C-alpha cells in the first residue's frame, strides 16, 4: 500500500511539473524591427520563451509590438509572425497560409524576415503586403 502511495505521489508531482510554463530565457533582450526596409521606432524590449523545439519572441508591450514563433530542428522555420502597429503597419504571416518568411538562428541570434499581409494605419481599409525583418539575441 505504501509503495502505491509513493508511485501515485510521484505521478502527481510529475503531472504538476509538466503543466508549468518554461522559464523565460535569462537576461534582457531587444529586437530590431524593419518594415519595408525602414527601421521602426527604438529597439523593442522582448521576451524569449522556448517550448520544445519552438521559440516564441514577443515584445514586452502588446502594441506597438510583435510576436514571432520559430521552430528549430533539422530545418529552422518561421511558423508565425504577428506585427502590431510597427512602422504604422499591422499584419500577419502564417506558415503555408499567409505571406512568406524564413528564419535562422546563429550563435544565439534569431532573425526572421519575409512578407506579411495587412494594412498601414493611414489606409486601414486597403489590404497590402509589407516586408519585415526582425532580429534579436535570445
Amino acid at each position: 500500500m505504501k509503495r502505491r502511495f509513493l508511485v501515485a505521489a510521484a505521478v502527481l508531482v510529475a503531472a504538476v511539473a509538466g503543466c508549468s510554463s518554461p522559464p523565460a530565457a535569462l537576461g534582457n533582450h531587444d529586437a530590431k524591427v524593419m518594415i519595408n526596409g525602414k527601421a521602426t521606432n527604438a529597439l523593442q524590449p522582448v521576451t524569449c520563451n522556448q517550448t520544445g523545439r519552438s521559440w516564441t519572441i514577443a515584445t514586452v508591450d502588446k502594441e506597438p509590438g510583435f510576436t514571432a514563433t520559430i521552430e528549430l530542428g533539422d530545418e529552422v522555420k518561421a511558423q508565425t509572425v504577428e506585427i502590431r502597429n510597427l512602422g504604422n503597419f499591422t499584419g500577419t504571416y502564417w506558415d503555408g497560409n499567409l505571406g512568406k518568411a524564413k528564419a535562422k538562428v546563429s550563435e544565439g541570434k534569431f532573425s526572421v524576415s519575409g512578407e506579411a499581409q495587412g494594412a498601414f494605419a493611414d489606409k486601414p481599409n486597403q489590404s497590402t503586403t509589407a516586408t519585415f525583418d526582425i532580429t534579436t539575441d535570445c
Side-chain angles (χ1 to χ4, degrees):
M1 184 70 166
K2 185 176 181 181
R3 185 171 190 202
R4 274 193 238 167
F5 174 75
L6 291 175
V7 170
V11 169
L12 178 61
V13 169
V16 170
C19 291
S20 64
S21 298
L26 297 176
N28 296 326
H29 305 283
D30 291 315
K32 179 181 175 186
V33 181
M34 298 182 74
I35 302 294
N36 282 344
K38 296 179 184 173
T40 60
N41 302 334
L43 293 174
Q44 300 291 318
V46 295
T47 60
C48 304
N49 292 295
Q50 182 180 14
T51 303
R53 294 176 5 162
S54 292
W55 278 83
T56 300
I57 303 162
T59 51
V60 173
D61 293 330
K62 179 87 172 152
E63 192 169 312
F66 73 88
T67 302
T69 304
I70 299 170
E71 182 179 341
L72 303 182
D74 294 337
E75 177 185 352
V76 177
K77 188 174 179 180
Q79 292 178 312
T80 63
V81 176
E82 177 189 4
I83 300 166
R84 299 176 299 276
N85 199 25
L86 284 170
N88 291 319
F89 179 75
T90 297
T92 305
Y93 157 77
W94 288 334
D95 182 35
N97 192 17
L98 191 62
K100 60 183 178 179
K102 61 183 178 180
K104 69 179 184 177
V105 179
S106 177
E107 298 178 12
K109 185 175 182 178
F110 288 66
S111 64
V112 59
S113 59
E115 294 180 353
Q117 293 184 355
F120 283 93
D122 60 343
K123 297 179 182 176
N125 297 324
Q126 184 177 339
S127 181
T128 191
T129 300
T131 61
F132 64 87
D133 185 45
I134 300 169
T135 56
T136 189
D137 63 347
C138 290

